[in-house]
Amino acid sequence: MLTWLAENAATAILCALLVLIVAAVIVKMVRDKKKGKHSCGCGCEHCALSDSCRKDK
């Protein structure tokens, strides 16, 4: 088991790092959604779906 871990340590560390980054992005998106922020980062004036995505209108 230690031999396998030593041979694949870089791959395991890289995979763990990628999982942490993806989890952080998902958590940020969920928090922003709960705060009412929009994911696109721009105004809705020119958006084709502005009537359907905004609930506060």
Side-chain angles (χ1 to χ4, degrees):
M1 180 68 184
L2 288 176
T3 307
W4 180 86
L5 188 59
E7 291 174 355
N8 297 308
T11 303
I13 291 170
L14 183 61
C15 288
L17 183 64
L18 289 173
V19 166
L20 288 174
I21 290 171
V22 169
V25 168
I26 291 172
V27 167
K28 172 82 168 117
M29 289 174 67
V30 168
R31 286 183 181 168
D32 286 349
K33 179 79 171 175
K34 286 183 180 179
K35 289 180 182 178
K37 293 183 181 179
H38 300 285
S39 61
C40 66
C42 63
C44 291
E45 303 87 42
H46 305 290
C47 179
L49 299 174
S50 64
D51 292 334
S52 64
C53 71
R54 300 280 307 238
K55 293 182 182 179
D56 58 344
K57 285 186 176 182

